[in-house]
Amino acid sequence: MQTDARVGVVEGGGSPHKLVTRPVQHHRSQIGAVSQLIAGGVAGAVSKTCTAPLARLTILFQVQGMHSDVATLKKASIWREATRIVNEEGFRAFWKGNLVTIAHRLPYSSISFYAFERYKNLLQLMPGVGIHEPNFATDVFVRLAGGGLAGITAASVTYPLDLVRTRLSAQTKVNYYRGIWHALCTISREEGIFGLYKGLGACLLGVGPNLAISFSVYDTARSFWQLQRPDDSTVMVSLACGSLSGIASSTVSFPLDLVRRRMQLEGVGGRARVYKTGVFGTFRHIIQAEGLRGLYRGILPEYYKVVPSIGIVFMTFEKLKQVLTDIQI
């Protein structure tokens, strides 16, 4: 296995050994690619379904400042909002928008996991990075850059579904959008095709550091853990390292995520626009109206969600990839 891996990296040369092993490595890389795509997509869908109630609470808290007064915001709490959802919308409303979440997460997770591995391989071929003399600094750089590029790629491709998910989840008493297709058509008709990409700038600003921190913290923590305690359960390692990476990435990127949500809901159903000056203008408006704490509105349910969510993603991904690789899918 070790020999094949080195053969796959070194270019040129006429050694018969290299010529014989190159197709084997290519076949293995193809198997790995398919496994990563399937495992990544399923892992994302499972995680999002398990944590959908907390995800909806996070979104509802994030957008409260758009049309609520200060007194209402001060009274808001997780228990109060959860009780309101059950009383007014029913228990199933906790999963409102979950179908589009899965529709978004399947391709998003597949693309991000697959792209992360591909970007890592490309970055390792850069002059000065070199895989033959790895060190901690270059490893961190590769993981940060690979995670950031993977996040930007996945977010750009799947963004319209993310916007629809936000709008469906933010609906409370009145259902302006009846479903995924109706939302896509209505937004395109009323706001134009570019309406499907509202808040993309904030998304790309946030998703790069988010996935960069998430992947690099996870990869680094897992490598260190396995080096110190190689006999520990893969499930336990994935769960612990995934949870740690989720807390770190959410803390850093949450303000941009909140700005993205607010911008995604601009002009819904003919409402007056609140934020008219882009990403930085939205930041300024929130700070002036709600203070710095306003940028972290909804961070508590996000923390409650992120530990099981990220943990389940990485745990499911690792186990599925192992199973799929074993059966050569």
Side-chain angles (χ1 to χ4, degrees), residues 119-158:
Y119 282 128
K120 274 206 311 185
N121 293 339
L122 287 173
L123 290 166
Q124 286 169 341
L125 296 176
M126 288 174 58
V129 176
I131 66 167
H132 297 295
E133 297 180 2
N135 59 63
F136 180 77
T138 56
D139 280 350
V140 171
F141 165 75
V142 167
R143 288 164 181 164
L144 279 170
L149 290 170
I152 289 171
T153 302
S156 299
V157 173
T158 61

Side-chain angles (χ1 to χ4, degrees), residues 243-273:
S243 300
L244 179 63
S245 74
I247 292 172
S249 61
S250 290
T251 301
V252 173
S253 63
F254 192 83
L256 276 167
D257 187 59
L258 181 139
V259 167
R260 170 172 62 99
R261 299 291 185 203
R262 298 274 181 101
M263 294 182 73
Q264 285 177 333
L265 289 168
E266 279 285 83
V268 176
R271 284 181 177 178
R273 296 187 62 185

